[in-house]
Amino acid sequence: MLADFVHWLVATPVSHFLQNLKNMIPVVQTLHIFAIAAVLSSAAMIDLRVLRLAGKEQSLQSIFRRFEPGVWGGLVVLLITGSLLIIAEPARSLLAIQFQVKVVLILVGIGVTLLLARMMKQLGRDETSPPAARVLAAVSLLVWAAVIAAGRWIAYA
Amino acid sequence: MTLVDLCTWLEGTRISTAIRESGVIFPWIESLHVVGGTLVFGFVSIIDFRLLGVLSKHQAVSRVTDEMVPWVWGAFAISLVTGLLMFSSNASQYVHNTPFLCKMGLLVAAGFNMLVFHVLTYRGVARWDVALPPPLTARVAGGASLILWMAVITFGRWVGFTL
């Protein structure tokens, strides 16, 4: 099924076009790294604040307002550049277990971020982070770092 | 001791031999290097965008730097240790790799930019801590830092394609 899709995708004109674009892969990969930098560091600022390790002078809400756009903005660029890389080299990515693990991890990361966002909105002004939020923050940190590791491991598939 | 001697010695150490001979240690070190590097770039850019007067505008500059600097150094330490480990596993090839040498030069330039900003502009931060837009010298330092760190990542990625 997936193999059929890969065969179809690699033969499309879009894929051919991207395959023949000189230096497309390294350039798009570099942009992909800039985007994950935005996601990881923005998520880390939120997570570290929830864990009371950074930014303690600011309220949880204000930290969230400052850094949530970095997570979602970064994810959009990540998705676009990632799609270009997949279309150019579908077999290298889609069929690799490393890539499949990465997709699951990204979905977990998005889910954890959404849950944290909901918790923050329900929180009173000067309230401290509830234990459940701290667990989510720790998971978020680990998951985004794991997304990077899984991505790097695709090169060794 | 010449550079060649140093490289030969580094490559002969037990740790670099282990990295070279194992198929899995290098990718794991590399993964950590990317985590550290993206954190350095991301954290530094939080300061840079504040210096440019683009983001975190409601925070004083000194507050943003106080908040970020320890984390920048922590992330840099991860990148440095993992980078040294990768370098030692194949030192004599790295020292002849143009993208790697460019990356090292750019790192020095980024450090120099930071030092100049710290010594000259940041010394008087009390006068422009909340001023918007920040003074030209601060904006130049922030813009230069962003460009330099993006170049560091670009050349880092390029090392992987050429080594």
Side-chain angles (χ1 to χ4, degrees), chain A residues 29 41 57-58 66 152 156, chain B residues 30 42 56 67 157 161:
Chain A
Q29 277 188 358
S41 54
E57 325 75 48
Q58 290 167 70
R66 256 176 92 192
R152 191 77 289 269
Y156 297 90
Chain B
E30 213 182 3
S56 307
E67 172 181 63
R157 183 63 285 240
F161 282 112

Side-chain angles (χ1 to χ4, degrees), chain A residues 25-26 29-30 33-34 36-37 40-41 44-45 48 53-55 57-58 63 66-67 145 148-149 152-153 156, chain B residues 23-24 26-28 30-31 34-35 38-39 41-43 46 56 59 63-64 67-68 71 150 153-154 157 161:
Chain A
I25 300 275
Q29 277 188 358
T30 304
I33 299 174
F34 294 158
I36 192 68
L40 178 67
S41 54
M45 291 311 293
L48 292 172
L53 294 169
E57 325 75 48
Q58 290 167 70
I63 283 276
R66 256 176 92 192
F67 293 108
I148 289 181
R152 191 77 289 269
W153 271 92
Y156 297 90
Chain B
V24 295
F26 193 89
W28 277 116
E30 213 182 3
S31 299
V34 180
V35 170
T38 48
L39 280 175
F41 172 59
F43 287 165
I46 291 171
S56 307
Q59 316 286 326
R63 193 190 217 183
V64 175
E67 172 181 63
M68 298 312 305
W71 297 102
M150 281 163 71
I153 290 186
T154 305
R157 183 63 285 240
F161 282 112

Side-chain angles (χ1 to χ4, degrees), chain A:
Chain A
M1 225 318 251
L2 194 57
D4 292 338
F5 178 68
V6 166
H7 281 288
W8 170 79
L9 188 56
V10 81
T12 57
V14 191
S15 180
H16 275 286
F17 173 72
L18 293 174
Q19 289 163 35
N20 294 321
L21 260 188
K22 210 168 172 288
N23 290 326
M24 191 287 271
I25 300 275
V27 170
V28 175
Q29 277 188 358
T30 304
L31 295 175
H32 200 64
I33 299 174
F34 294 158
I36 192 68
V39 174
L40 178 67
S41 54
S42 304
M45 291 311 293
I46 295 170
D47 299 335
L48 292 172
R49 173 62 186 85
V50 172
L51 292 165
R52 297 183 59 76
L53 294 169
K56 273 183 274 193
E57 325 75 48
Q58 290 167 70
S59 73
L60 282 164
Q61 282 91 346
S62 100
I63 283 276
F64 215 83
R65 269 198 305 274
R66 256 176 92 192
F67 293 108
E68 198 192 7
V71 178
W72 299 124
L75 272 171
V76 169
V77 179
L78 214 53
L79 204 70
I80 295 169
T81 50
S83 303
L84 289 174
L85 294 168
I86 292 169
I87 296 168
E89 298 182 311
R92 178 184 189 261
S93 46
L94 295 177
L95 299 179
I97 181 75
Q98 290 89 331
F99 172 82
Q100 294 159 3
V101 169
K102 183 179 171 179
V103 171
V104 173
L105 287 167
I106 291 172
L107 293 176
V108 174
I110 291 173
V112 167
T113 308
L114 289 172
L115 275 175
L116 262 178
R118 218 174 65 177
M119 263 183 206
M120 292 303 118
K121 283 192 187 102
Q122 289 165 347
L123 223 54
R125 244 193 94 68
D126 295 310
E127 260 182 282
T128 52
S129 36
R134 292 182 207 198
V135 173
L136 285 177
V139 172
S140 160
L141 266 178
L142 289 174
V143 165
W144 291 122
V147 165
I148 289 181
R152 191 77 289 269
W153 271 92
I154 294 173
Y156 297 90

